[in-house]
């Protein structure tokens, strides 16, 4: 299993983008005015059939039940990253992963 993982990482290293800055234009649904969202996602991997967005989190938790709370806390952030990446790369197949 470990050897397979090492081979996988060697194959994707040149397809990995780390600390990717982004900006995107959005429209406020109430004011109907446009605004710019800017940020930096930890990274993504461009595979042949999809893009895998990843983000590192350093939150501390003492039980596995707290993971769902942490996921919910960062859900909007990951959705923004996903939206920006899908628009920039024009891909609809995107998977997001957070590392805790």
């Amino acid at each position: 299993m470990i050897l397979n993982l090492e081979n996988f990482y060697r194959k994707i290293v040149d397809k990995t983008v780390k600390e990717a800055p982004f900006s995107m234009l959005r429209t406020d649904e109430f004011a109907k005015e446009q605004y710019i969202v800017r940020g930096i996602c930890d990274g993504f991997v461009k595979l042949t059939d999809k893009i895998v967005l990843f983000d590192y989190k350093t939150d501390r938790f003492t039980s596995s039940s707290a993971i769902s709370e942490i996921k919910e806390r960062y859900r909007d952030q990951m959705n923004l990253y996903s939206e920006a990446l899908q628009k920039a790369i024009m891909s609809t197949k995107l998977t997001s992963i957070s590392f805790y």
Side-chain angles (χ1 to χ4, degrees), residues 14 45 91 93:
D14 62 329
V45 181
S91 173
K93 294 184 178 182

Side-chain angles (χ1 to χ4, degrees), residues 50-54 78 82 86 92-97:
K50 65 181 169 185
I51 298 168
V52 179
L53 168 67
F54 61 87
M78 293 301 286
S82 296
Q86 285 174 325
T92 56
K93 294 184 178 182
L94 191 134
T95 301
S96 55
I97 301 171

Side-chain angles (χ1 to χ4, degrees), residues 18-31:
K18 295 179 185 175
E19 296 190 12
F22 72 90
S23 61
M24 113 180 115
L25 192 61
R26 297 185 87 202
T27 303
D28 182 280
E29 62 184 72
F30 298 108

Side-chain angles (χ1 to χ4, degrees), residues 4-96:
N4 289 339
L5 225 85
E6 285 179 26
N7 288 336
F8 173 73
Y9 287 130
R10 285 188 188 130
K11 289 178 185 176
I12 67 164
V13 72
D14 62 329
K15 299 174 185 171
T16 302
V17 177
K18 295 179 185 175
E19 296 190 12
F22 72 90
S23 61
M24 113 180 115
L25 192 61
R26 297 185 87 202
T27 303
D28 182 280
E29 62 184 72
F30 298 108
K32 306 295 185 216
E33 293 183 6
Q34 292 185 321
Y35 62 97
I36 296 174
V37 177
R38 292 187 179 118
I40 300 174
C41 68
D42 287 339
F44 62 92
V45 181
K46 291 166 78 173
L47 302 173
T48 53
D49 61 336
K50 65 181 169 185
I51 298 168
V52 179
L53 168 67
F54 61 87
D55 196 52
Y56 299 105
K57 298 298 176 198
T58 58
D59 297 66
R60 291 183 172 217
F61 54 93
T62 56
S63 68
S64 58
S65 63
I67 293 174
S68 61
E69 287 178 33
I70 293 170
K71 283 183 180 180
E72 183 61 28
R73 185 180 315 151
Y74 293 106
R75 182 176 50 86
D76 290 340
Q77 177 188 16
M78 293 301 286
N79 287 343
L80 276 175
Y81 290 171
S82 296
E83 180 183 344
L85 197 52
Q86 285 174 325
K87 286 180 178 180
I89 297 179
M90 297 187 182
S91 173
T92 56
K93 294 184 178 182
L94 191 134
T95 301
S96 55

